[in-house]
Each structure stands twice: as structure tokens, then as C-alpha cells.
Amino acid sequence: MAESIRMLSKNTVKFIKSLHQKKFRNQEQKFFVEGEKSVLEVLNSDFRVELLVATESFISRHNTQINSSDVQVILATQNQLESLGQYQSNDSALAVVHMKPNRAFAFPEDNFVIGLDDVRDPGNLGTIIRIADWYGIKNLVFSAQTADFYNPKVIQSSMGSFIRVNFFYADLNEVFHQWKVPIYGAFLDGKNVHKMKQIRRGVILMGNESNGIGEDLEKVVTDKVTIPGFGQAESLNVAIATAILCDNFKRLTIE
Amino acid sequence: MAESIRMLSKNTVKFIKSLHQKKFRNQEQKFFVEGEKSVLEVLNSDFRVELLVATESFISRHNTQINSSDVQVILATQNQLESLGQYQSNDSALAVVHMKPNRAFAFPEDNFVIGLDDVRDPGNLGTIIRIADWYGIKNLVFSAQTADFYNPKVIQSSMGSFIRVNFFYADLNEVFHQWKVPIYGAFLDGKNVHKMKQIRRGVILMGNESNGIGEDLEKVVTDKVTIPGFGQAESLNVAIATAILCDNFKRLTIE
């Protein structure tokens, strides 16, 4: 049963606004999620939701689900929601959620892991998380300089997929040495991914938007792979390239 | 030989700022391009450049190329450039360029055409143009409600590829009836694109970000195609899906 509904206080406004900044997210170990669909999904997930700021209409429509979760509910107007978050339009809800601990996972038996070396743009990271979820690649590992998973733009562009993936931040060099699996790195001068033979396991490693995969990390790449171009564009956006590699690799597991 | 270099006037500032809006772009039949690489590419293309607003450093570094083009050069500071355009940082140049007429092309003998039915987001359109250029698909056709090709965000996210594609806006239904080629439409319940046989020609048709391909247009789709999912995400971003379909279709032309 949910506690009684409160009104939005100045302190809560200040607290939620502070979560736009990584520094305060890390200090509090909390982040926020916006919009009807994502808020409902996070309430229904293994994330621990601390606060639900919602309009009267959202509360009455989802009364049962709200009551069955153990969350403090705060009533707000659409205008208040829009000033708290980053959505231009939000007439439903915003949830304050506890981060998960940064814990390494074991390499999966029969699947890929996506590795990101300094992918800095939050929109790219969120899109890559959505792609990973589409292709059933549930595990991702990020270099320390990769965008913050809990950045509101990452959460938004993942379209709810952030709930369904595992991830941790680490020194990729160390992690890859421990894992002892093939590391497929995206380069412009690698092996044509259309010509690859059946594979079932390994890291799909993508580099920074401007500089690609770092020199040190390049040394632990076991297979350089390339998306064949047929035209004149010099490169592809990193999220686009990730999608194409995932599509090719997943095709190879079923051929 | 370029005309003499002028200083930036208030009228020119007002004129360039008006080009942020589609209404004034259409009225003037002009748009603008920002940043060193894209400005140099457009100077070197078959687009007619009317004005080059540039820093002293850009002008001295690219003196030869500027002199060989017949363009009015206007000197500006980095601050002025940044207030004229949409780039957060621009210490090089901005070019005012003439639009091309909206003219239909004949369907290419041995290639694909990308068709977009109401793709509204300029970032998506620009990214799709870059993907088309990567895959050597030089021809695109857009429904009237698709984002404006000359929107500054489209130009920016195309990363220079806008120079190398042909396109026109039209009633897609009419155009497809005339072309009499296979229309491969992206749907969530179509044929698995991984299982398709060799094809060489046809339209790759993508729909609106929220609603997909419109009902009327669905009737002229000859082949519904689907990107197989292996996870739980409900959909993919339209630019991501376009990239994956192009990769699969281009693979089929060479198998």
C-alpha cells in the first residue's frame, strides 16, 4: 500500500533538479525517469523507485499499480513536471529511482557483450542500449569516459530498454584480459563483416565518436571488423554502426 | 577571382538568421551550411554558393579554393558565426547556398531508392542521408510531411552527405504507381529480412517515427519486410532500421 499522497515541496523540486547533474546523481546514487511508459516500466522492474511525482490523472489511471508498489507519491501539475525534468511535454509522471551498484558480470555462455570505449554522446549511448535490447544482447561494458548511463538523455533515448540490460563501468583492457573471449573491434580497415563465418560469442567493441577505439585497447582486439561501404560517406554514426554489427553477428549465430 | 571581402552587416545577419525558418528558406530558395569540412565540400560541389561568411583564419587557410569560386566573402569573428548559425562552436565558416529545384529522377537501373513517409525528425533525416551515401544509394524520395532537407539540423547530421544525394518531395502513392518497381516497406510483421533472396532494385520505404507507414501507402507496398528481433525492445529508431535494411539489401545484391 502506498503512503499518503503529498504535495510537491521546494526541497523536492531542488533535489530532483540536482539529479540533472552527474555529480549529484553519484552523491545521491539516484536518477530520474520521465514519461508514462518508462515510469510504468520502472515501477514494474527490479529497480527500486523512491519517489513518484505524478499528475492526478496518472495517479487515478494507474492506481492499482501505484498502490502495489511501496513508493511515496507526490502530486504535481503538468507544468511542474515539465520544469522538473527534461521532457518538453510531460502530463503523466516522473520517478526518482535508486541506481544499481557497479558490479561486473560473468561473460555469458552463448551470447555477445557490447563494449563501448569512450562513447560520449548520451543520445548515442541510449540508442545503443535500445539496439542491444532489440538484439537480445543483455550485457554491456563501458570505459570510464563513456557517457553516464543514468544521464536523463540516455534514459530517454533508450526508450525503456535501460531496464532490461546489465552493465558496468571498468578499465576495458583489464576486463578483456580476464574474459579471454574474441574481441571484435569496429574499424574502418578491418575484415568485411558480410564475409564472416559463424560465431557465437565475443565482445562487439565500438569506439569514441571522433577517435574510434583507443590505441591501447586496439592491441587487445582479436578481430578488426568493418561494415562494407558502397558510396562516399567517410563513416557512420557509432549507434548506426553498432546496430549493423549486431544485426550481422546475430545473423551469424543462426546460420 | 572572389570579389573583395566585406564586413558583416546588420542586414546580412538578419537575412541569415531568417534562414533558420523553413518559410524564409522557401521564400529565398536558400539555406546555410556550417563548419569547415561541410563548407569546403559545398564550395567544391555543384551547389551554387552565394555567400561565404568566414573567419580571417579560414580565409587565409583556404585562400586558393575561395578565390577559384565565384563567391562573395564576408569576414566574421567566431562569436558572430556562432550567433548566426546553430553550431555551439564554429571558428571557421558558414555558407549561404542556393537550393536545388524539386525535380523527380528516373528510377535507377540497378540500385535502390530510399522512400520516407513522414519522417519528421531532422536528425533522423540527416542520419538517413548519411547512411544512403555510405551504401551508395544516391536517390531518395520524401512525402510532403517529411522533415525539410534544408533544415540546418538535417544538413548538420548528414555530415556532408547531403551534397552527394538526389531527392525530391512528392505524393509517394503517385510516384510508386509510375515507377512500377518492388516497394519494400518496413513493418513489424513482415518477412524476415535475413531470409530474403537476391534482389537488385526497388524502394526501401520507411515510415513515420510514431505511426510507421501510412494506411494508404501500405496498399502499394509489394513486400513487407521486418528486422528480426532477439530481445524485448518494441521497435528500433527509424534511422537505425534504415541502416540495417540498407545493409541487408546491399548484401543481397552481391551474394
Side-chain angles (χ1 to χ4, degrees):
Chain A
M1 175 70 194
E3 301 167 48
S4 60
I5 292 172
R6 293 203 196 146
M7 306 303 287
L8 189 62
S9 71
K10 276 189 185 168
N11 274 343
T12 305
V13 169
K14 203 179 147 196
F15 165 62
I16 295 176
K17 285 192 173 171
S18 80
L19 300 180
H20 285 256
Q21 288 178 61
K22 184 175 178 180
K23 178 183 153 191
F24 292 109
R25 287 196 297 273
N26 283 342
Q27 201 172 292
E28 298 285 341
Q29 291 290 300
K30 287 165 196 158
F31 66 108
F32 67 84
V33 176
E34 293 169 90
E36 177 143 8
K37 190 163 167 292
S38 292
V39 167
L40 289 173
E41 284 191 290
V42 82
L43 279 171
N44 206 24
S45 75
D46 62 350
F47 275 98
R48 193 152 59 90
V49 179
E50 175 165 287
L51 279 182
L52 175 68
V53 188
T55 58
E56 218 173 335
S57 132
F58 181 92
I59 295 170
S60 68
R61 271 179 293 134
H62 304 293
N63 203 18
T64 319
Q65 188 175 350
I66 294 168
N67 277 335
S68 71
S69 66
D70 192 27
V71 61
Q72 170 65 54
V73 182
I74 294 177
L75 188 67
T77 64
Q78 173 168 358
N79 276 344
Q80 285 173 323
L81 278 177
E82 288 163 6
S83 85
L84 285 176
Q86 54 153 14
Y87 277 24
Q88 284 203 331
S89 165
N90 181 358
D91 60 358
S92 49
L94 179 153
V96 174
V97 184
H98 289 263
M99 289 183 182
K100 290 183 175 175
N102 188 55
R103 227 176 260 151
F105 46 75
F107 202 93
E109 262 314 306
D110 207 25
N111 204 338
F112 299 96
V113 168
I114 293 175
L116 301 182
D117 184 29
D118 296 7
V119 169
R120 302 284 179 105
D121 180 80
N124 284 339
L125 177 54
T127 305
I128 289 171
I129 291 164
R130 185 177 174 192
I131 293 162
D133 187 27
W134 178 269
Y135 283 104
I137 298 173
K138 292 189 86 68
N139 296 291
L140 300 99
V141 59
F142 310 132
S143 70
Q145 298 306 314
T146 293
D148 180 26
F149 186 92
Y150 296 110
N151 180 309
K153 285 186 189 142
V154 174
I155 299 298
Q156 178 181 8
S157 48
S158 85
M159 297 285 280
S161 290
F162 78 92
I163 288 165
R164 290 180 290 271
V165 297
N166 306 313
F167 69 94
F168 64 103
Y169 287 82
D171 181 325
L172 296 185
N173 240 311
E174 282 182 21
V175 172
F176 295 166
H177 272 292
Q178 285 165 13
W179 276 347
K180 297 181 173 52
V181 295
I183 310 291
Y184 299 96
F187 286 86
L188 288 168
D189 60 349
K191 192 172 165 189
N192 180 343
V193 72
H194 288 176
K195 310 277 187 200
M196 289 179 70
K197 302 290 176 220
Q198 196 176 42
I199 46 172
R200 297 200 166 276
R201 203 169 179 242
V203 173
I204 301 174
L205 177 63
M206 311 301 297
N208 172 268
E209 286 88 346
S210 306
N211 307 316
I213 293 169
E215 275 180 39
D216 271 5
L217 206 55
E218 184 174 342
K219 292 173 195 152
V220 299
V221 167
T222 56
D223 300 80
K224 292 189 179 185
V225 294
T226 295
I227 297 162
F230 298 79
Q232 289 173 269
E234 285 174 17
S235 64
L236 290 166
N237 160 284
V238 63
I240 298 287
T242 305
I244 297 169
L245 290 183
C246 288
D247 188 75
N248 277 277
F249 279 56
K250 275 295 186 174
R251 166 205 292 272
L252 289 170
T253 64
I254 51 168
E255 262 175 6
Chain B
M1 175 70 195
E3 301 167 48
S4 61
I5 293 172
R6 293 203 195 147
M7 305 303 287
L8 188 63
S9 72
K10 276 190 185 168
N11 275 342
T12 305
V13 169
K14 202 179 148 196
F15 165 61
I16 295 175
K17 285 192 173 171
S18 80
L19 300 179
H20 284 256
Q21 289 177 61
K22 184 176 178 180
K23 178 183 154 191
F24 292 108
R25 288 196 297 273
N26 283 343
Q27 200 172 293
E28 298 285 341
Q29 290 289 302
K30 287 165 197 157
F31 67 107
F32 67 84
V33 176
E34 294 168 271
E36 178 142 9
K37 191 162 167 293
S38 292
V39 167
L40 289 173
E41 284 191 289
V42 82
L43 279 171
N44 206 25
S45 74
D46 63 350
F47 275 99
R48 193 151 60 89
V49 179
E50 177 166 285
L51 278 182
L52 175 69
V53 188
T55 58
E56 217 172 338
S57 133
F58 180 92
I59 296 170
S60 67
R61 269 179 293 134
H62 304 293
N63 202 19
T64 320
Q65 188 175 351
I66 295 168
N67 277 335
S68 71
S69 67
D70 193 27
V71 62
Q72 170 66 54
V73 181
I74 293 176
L75 188 68
T77 64
Q78 173 167 358
N79 275 345
Q80 285 173 322
L81 278 177
E82 288 163 6
S83 85
L84 285 176
Q86 54 153 13
Y87 278 24
Q88 283 204 331
S89 164
N90 181 359
D91 61 358
S92 51
L94 178 152
V96 174
V97 184
H98 290 264
M99 290 182 181
K100 290 184 175 174
N102 189 55
R103 228 176 259 152
F105 45 76
F107 201 93
E109 262 314 304
D110 208 24
N111 204 339
F112 299 96
V113 168
I114 293 175
L116 301 183
D117 184 28
D118 297 7
V119 169
R120 302 284 179 105
D121 180 80
N124 283 340
L125 176 53
T127 304
I128 289 171
I129 292 164
R130 185 177 174 191
I131 292 162
D133 187 27
W134 178 269
Y135 283 104
I137 298 173
K138 291 188 88 68
N139 296 291
L140 301 100
V141 59
F142 309 133
S143 70
Q145 297 306 315
T146 293
D148 179 26
F149 187 92
Y150 297 110
N151 180 308
K153 285 186 189 142
V154 174
I155 299 298
Q156 178 181 6
S157 49
S158 86
M159 298 285 282
S161 290
F162 78 93
I163 289 165
R164 290 180 290 270
V165 297
N166 305 314
F167 69 94
F168 65 102
Y169 287 82
D171 180 324
L172 296 184
N173 239 311
E174 282 181 22
V175 172
F176 295 166
H177 272 292
Q178 285 164 14
W179 277 348
K180 298 181 174 50
V181 296
I183 310 291
Y184 299 97
F187 287 85
L188 288 168
D189 60 348
K191 192 174 165 189
N192 180 344
V193 72
H194 288 177
K195 310 278 186 199
M196 289 178 69
K197 303 290 176 221
Q198 196 176 44
I199 47 171
R200 295 199 168 277
R201 203 169 179 242
V203 173
I204 301 174
L205 176 63
M206 310 300 297
N208 172 267
E209 286 88 345
S210 306
N211 307 316
I213 294 169
E215 276 180 36
D216 271 5
L217 206 55
E218 185 174 342
K219 292 173 194 151
V220 299
V221 167
T222 57
D223 301 80
K224 293 189 180 184
V225 294
T226 293
I227 297 163
F230 298 78
Q232 289 173 271
E234 286 175 15
S235 64
L236 289 166
N237 160 284
V238 63
I240 298 286
T242 306
I244 297 169
L245 290 183
C246 288
D247 188 75
N248 277 276
F249 279 56
K250 276 295 187 176
R251 164 206 295 272
L252 289 170
T253 66
I254 51 169
E255 260 173 6

